[in-house]
Amino acid sequence: MNAHTRIPYAVQLRDLSRSFKGKTILDRVSLEIPRGQFVSLLGESGSGKTTLLRALAGLDDDAETRGEFDVPENTSVLFQDSRLLPWKSVIENITLGLRRQDARPAALDMLNAVGLSDKSNVWPSTLSGGQKQRASLARSLIRSPELLLADEPFGALDALTRLRMQELLMRLVERERPTIILVTHDVAEALLLSDRILVLKDGRIAEDHLVSASHPRRSHDPKLISLRAKLLQSFGVAERV
C-alpha cells in the first residue's frame, strides 16, 4: 500500500471475491477508481454493495477473501447511523482519537462547515437525526481522508433533510476533495451526486456509467433523464412519465 502516492488510483481491486460460510457474495470484482472520483454503488439487496464497502474498510474479518485490493491508509467510513458516543459531547466525538495539536480549532471549523457551530458542547441525544449525521460527516472529514466510504448515510432521514445533507456533502466534497464510494438504493441520489455509477448484480459489476452532467445538477437535465431511464430499466422498473 505504500505505492498509493505513486499511482493515479485511490482504489484498485483485482479479482476480489468474498464469501460467508461458503456463500459467494462478491465474485471476482476488478475495479479502478481514480483519485477524487465520486462513485455510487447501486444494486438490489444482496447484490454485494455493502460487502464490497466493508471489504475496502477492512471489516468483516470472518469473511473468506480472495483476490487483491489496494486502498489508502487514510480511509474513513460513514455509516447509516451516526455512531456517536452518547457519553461524550459533540466536539469530543469529532476529535476522538484525533492526534493533531489543532484538533479543537479544526473541529470547530468543521462544525461550522456542517452548520453545527452552536452544538459543539451538547450531548448527541439532544440532536435530531439530520444533525447527528452532520456531526458524523464532520467526524469523518476532519481527518482529511483520501477515501470516504459511505454506506447509505442518508437512508434513515426524511426527504427534506436528505436533500439538505446531499447539498452539504457536495459542498464539503468541493472543499476536501476526497475519493468517495457511496452505497445507495436511491437512483436519484446517485445521479445528483456521482461522477460514476456502478450497478452490482449477483456480486459482480454489471454496469459502469460515467455521469457527464455538470454541477449543480437539475433533475430535468436531458443527460440525467436518459441515464435515469437506463438505470431504472436495469432494475426492471418502467420510467414514469
Side-chain angles (χ1 to χ4, degrees):
M1 293 189 182
N2 293 331
H4 288 309
T5 57
R6 301 192 295 273
I7 61 175
Y9 300 107
V11 176
Q12 289 184 304
L13 288 76
R14 293 173 289 277
D15 293 324
L16 179 66
S17 296
R18 243 185 182 208
S19 303
F20 294 87
K21 297 180 180 180
K23 182 179 180 181
T24 298
I25 307 299
L26 293 179
D27 187 9
R28 293 170 293 172
V29 176
S30 294
L31 176 65
E32 292 179 333
I33 298 177
R35 293 181 179 279
Q37 190 171 67
F38 194 132
V39 177
S40 284
L41 300 181
L42 285 175
E44 297 178 356
S45 297
S47 61
K49 304 183 303 301
T50 294
T51 298
L52 175 55
L53 206 74
R54 292 179 69 86
L56 299 180
L59 303 175
D60 295 333
D61 292 336
D62 58 334
E64 302 169 21
T65 303
R66 299 183 303 279
E68 300 177 357
F69 65 92
D70 290 328
V71 297
E73 291 185 11
N74 187 6
T75 294
S76 186
V77 184
L78 187 61
F79 296 97
Q80 184 168 343
D81 57 279
S82 64
R83 305 201 177 188
L84 300 175
L85 300 178
W87 57 88
K88 289 186 176 292
S89 68
V90 169
I91 195 167
E92 288 173 335
N93 269 281
I94 291 173
T95 57
L96 185 67
L98 195 62
R99 297 178 180 177
R100 48 189 284 188
Q101 292 183 341
D102 66 336
R104 185 175 178 85
L108 290 172
D109 177 63
M110 188 58 70
L111 283 172
N112 183 61
V114 300
L116 292 177
S117 58
D118 60 336
K119 303 293 184 181
S120 61
N121 295 314
V122 306
W123 302 114
S125 60
T126 67
L127 301 179
S128 67
Q131 289 172 331
K132 288 178 181 178
Q133 281 304 86
R134 289 192 209 176
S136 182
L137 181 58
R139 182 181 56 192
S140 292
L141 292 180
I142 195 175
R143 287 154 176 79
S144 300
E146 293 179 61
L147 175 64
L148 177 62
L149 303 172
D151 191 3
E152 296 194 75
F154 312 140
L157 303 178
D158 64 80
L160 288 177
T161 303
R162 184 172 186 141
L163 288 173
R164 294 188 184 104
M165 284 297 298
Q166 290 167 350
E167 292 175 357
L168 172 62
L169 178 60
M170 290 308 299
R171 290 201 304 272
L172 293 177
V173 165
E174 291 177 0
R175 166 176 154 169
E176 303 293 329
R177 299 293 181 184
T179 305
I180 298 180
I181 302 179
L182 169 71
V183 167
T184 180
H185 283 94
D186 189 336
V187 170
E189 181 170 79
L191 290 169
L192 177 67
L193 301 176
S194 312
D195 303 313
R196 183 180 181 187
I197 298 175
L198 304 177
V199 177
L200 270 65
K201 291 184 179 180
D202 300 322
R204 294 186 176 185
I205 297 175
E207 299 179 29
D208 187 343
H209 302 278
L210 290 177
V211 186
S212 58
S214 59
H215 291 282
R217 293 176 181 168
R218 300 291 181 264
S219 59
H220 57 265
D221 186 315
K223 294 178 182 177
L224 297 185
I225 292 174
S226 176
L227 182 51
R228 172 185 165 84
K230 290 179 182 178
L231 291 169
L232 290 177
Q233 186 177 25
S234 71
F235 293 117
V237 178
E239 178 71 279
R240 288 177 292 181
V241 178

